[in-house]
Each structure stands twice: as structure tokens, then as C-alpha cells.
Amino acid sequence: SKVLPLATPMIDVMAAVQRINGDSDDPEQEKQRSPSSSPPPTMVVSELISQLVDSSGENNDKTAYEEPCFSSKSLERLERIYTRFATGTTDNNSDEKVMTTENVEQWLIEINGQVGRGSEFREAVELMTRNLNTEQDEDGNNNEQHTEPKESAEKPTKVPLDAILTLEDFQAIYTKELRQG
């Protein structure tokens, strides 16, 4: 298993090559390092996909490239992030923490800088609307009208009030992100 500290900074390859090579009497080498020639647009970064994605095939028959699934360590990390934000409780199980509208707004501000932008926002609104409609269905209110979120020509600009986001929803948001690349 690979162990990779996430705090390790990226390496500036061109600077490292210049430090290794030092001053040279070779005019061709000096010419290659001149400030007028720009370095190639390449960054050397640590490979993280093997830690992020479950490649064992235990979660499904597809490969990590066809339909990736998070590794158990990634799911644990997502759960820790979720737990940091989730302060609400459900009516039927007070031990289960859920993200309230305010919690989701805090999370969105932290990851996107504001509420109302990003694919995480759009997916959270859709899932929270579905959860809100499911709650209303269980209470017997307008059962047929609330089975699916309403399609609207307008894009949502805020998180639904009095809705919740579950841990499963939170993980689904990031699974969708992973699969979209």
C-alpha cells in the first residue's frame, strides 16, 4: 500500500534540474536554461488515484476507470468531513447526525467560496429537495406531486429551507464528482 503525506509540496522540476546541474561551461546547456525559453507546462505531482479509488473490484464488476468507487479510507475521510459539518438530527433517530440547510451552506462556502455555484451545490440542492419531498410524502401531503424534484427553467440559487443532507447523500455527491472526472 502506498503511503503519501498530503502535506508534501509539489516539486518545481525546472528549478530542481537547474540546482542539480549548477553552473555549466557548456553554452548549449546555458542556452536551454535561459530566461527567454519558458519551461514546459508540466507539473510533477504525486499519484493519488490509487489511494482514492477502490481498485480491488470488490465493490463492483467494473474497473476503477469504467465506474470508480471510493476506497474505504476515502469514505472514512468523507465521513469525517461530513461529521464536522453535520449538527442536525433526524426525528426518528436522534443519534444520526444530518446536515441542515445552515450546515450545507457552511460546507458550500468552505469548498466553493459561496453558496449558489459549483456542481456540489447543484447536486446538494437536488438531493435535499428529494429528501424534503420524501418527508412530505411520508406525512401524507400531496403524495403524487412530490415524488420527484420539480424541473424548473431557473437554476437554483439557494439551499432549500428545512431540508437535510444525509451522509449517504454527501458521499453520493462526491461519488458523482469522481465519476465525472
Side-chain angles (χ1 to χ4, degrees), residues 8-25:
T8 305
M10 293 186 290
I11 300 168
D12 180 348
V13 176
M14 293 305 289
V17 169
Q18 288 175 356
R19 283 193 302 271
I20 291 169
N21 289 339
D23 290 327
S24 173
D25 293 333

Side-chain angles (χ1 to χ4, degrees), residues 127-141 143 146-148:
L127 292 169
M128 292 175 77
T129 302
R130 187 174 298 143
N131 289 342
L132 188 61
N133 292 337
T134 301
E135 272 182 31
Q136 290 173 350
D137 287 349
E138 289 171 0
D139 293 340
N141 298 332
N143 204 10
H146 292 288
T147 55
E148 289 294 323

Side-chain angles (χ1 to χ4, degrees), residues 75-109:
L75 290 172
E76 288 171 15
R77 287 182 181 115
L78 285 174
E79 186 172 354
R80 283 197 307 265
I81 294 166
Y82 178 84
T83 302
R84 194 175 95 204
F85 287 99
T87 62
T89 57
T90 60
D91 292 336
N92 46 349
N93 184 356
S94 61
D95 291 340
E96 179 187 357
K97 293 289 185 185
V98 294
M99 287 175 73
T100 63
T101 299
E102 293 80 21
N103 299 151
V104 171
E105 288 172 346
Q106 290 171 336
W107 163 64
L108 291 168
I109 289 169

Side-chain angles (χ1 to χ4, degrees), residues 50-62:
S50 63
Q51 292 184 24
L52 187 64
V53 173
D54 178 18
S55 59
S56 68
E58 292 176 12
N59 286 335
N60 59 31
D61 294 334
K62 306 239 182 213

